[in-house]
Amino acid sequence: MTRWLGVALLPRADHTRSAIQMQKSLGGESPLRPPLSEEGNLPHLTVFQGPFVDALEPERELARISASVSLPNELSLASVGIVHQPIGWLFMSVERPVLLQKLQETVVDRLAPHLDRDAFDTSKDTSRFTETERASFAQYGYRYTGDAYAPHITLGRTEEDTALELVRTAPERIHVPEEWTFDRLSFYVMGEHGAHAEKVAELPLASE
């Protein structure tokens, strides 16, 4: 049985609420999907996600990942801004420091052996992907690894024309915080559009 799971950084409580409000303000009369909330689809920064074999043990793997990377109690990442990603995606993009790259490398190294490669969507249209994104998708079933890693909080998805218009008018609609602070690692069940639909394991960043 295939399990669609991901590992993510979760924002501090106040920044979680900021992201939820940002999604509402940005979408306005064109609500972005899926809706973010503190009880449902949590705002998050995906480190890695994909289809995994049923034998994967999220709690054990998250503990091993945490033990393998020296993380601070809180990780603050500078905002890059609201960006559009084909097709129809709106991201709150953040910087990609060396520590975040190291975290992803560790996560990928630990989890890649558990990927259910037969579940990769080989019919997916990757014509709008960059070359590095296509290579990442072919190798891991996930668009953003290695040089293609583009850390972000997903604000949602809509029609392509609407997404382009929302990005263009974003400065008039919302205030973008200068940085985002994360304090937990999460293993989650992927929902609509890869959302953080259900938490299956969680650890504070500086867990011992």
Side-chain angles (χ1 to χ4, degrees):
M1 178 179 171
T2 302
R3 303 174 69 192
W4 290 85
L5 304 170
V7 172
L9 289 166
L10 295 182
R12 203 172 62 193
D14 56 332
H15 286 190
T16 291
R17 291 189 291 270
S18 292
I20 292 169
Q21 184 56 52
M22 181 178 291
Q23 183 197 51
K24 292 177 181 176
S25 299
L26 181 62
E29 296 178 358
S30 304
L32 301 171
R33 294 201 57 82
L36 300 174
S37 76
E38 293 182 82
E39 294 76 33
N41 298 312
L42 282 173
H44 66 287
L45 188 155
T46 296
V47 180
F48 185 58
Q49 64 181 26
F52 293 95
V53 297
D54 195 42
L56 174 71
E57 298 181 28
E59 289 190 4
R60 183 180 69 177
E61 293 302 333
L62 196 64
R64 288 179 173 177
I65 290 164
S66 178
S68 299
V69 185
S70 181
L71 295 169
N73 290 324
E74 293 186 338
L75 177 61
S76 292
L77 301 174
S79 297
V80 175
I82 305 297
V83 300
H84 161 263
Q85 183 79 325
I87 301 173
W89 295 97
L90 291 170
F91 292 165
M92 174 63 251
S93 185
V94 299
E95 64 176 329
R96 188 181 72 180
V98 172
L99 181 58
L100 189 54
Q101 292 177 247
K102 173 63 176 175
L103 175 61
Q104 191 193 55
E105 289 169 4
T106 301
V107 171
V108 172
D109 286 347
R110 283 226 53 91
L111 298 186
H114 301 284
L115 284 168
D116 183 353
R117 296 181 179 277
D118 290 337
F120 286 6
D121 184 4
T122 54
S123 66
K124 189 177 185 68
D125 179 7
T126 61
S127 62
R128 302 287 293 273
F129 287 19
T130 65
E131 286 298 323
T132 52
E133 288 171 355
R134 273 193 286 273
S136 174
F137 188 77
Q139 185 172 4
Y140 298 115
Y142 181 54
R143 183 175 180 174
Y144 306 109
T145 67
D147 290 342
Y149 188 34
H152 61 273
I153 297 173
T154 300
L155 295 178
R157 198 175 191 187
T158 184
E159 297 296 324
E160 178 75 347
D161 289 348
T162 302
L164 290 167
E165 177 64 13
L166 292 180
V167 166
R168 186 184 68 79
T169 60
E172 306 163 17
R173 294 169 172 265
I174 59 173
H175 166 72
V176 177
E178 292 184 0
E179 65 178 21
W180 296 87
T181 300
F182 302 84
D183 60 5
R184 292 161 290 156
L185 272 174
S186 170
F187 223 122
Y188 64 95
V189 175
M190 293 168 60
E192 180 185 1
H193 297 319
H196 190 296
E198 179 186 344
K199 195 185 305 175
V200 293
E202 180 184 301
L203 284 174
L205 286 194
S207 177
E208 296 183 358

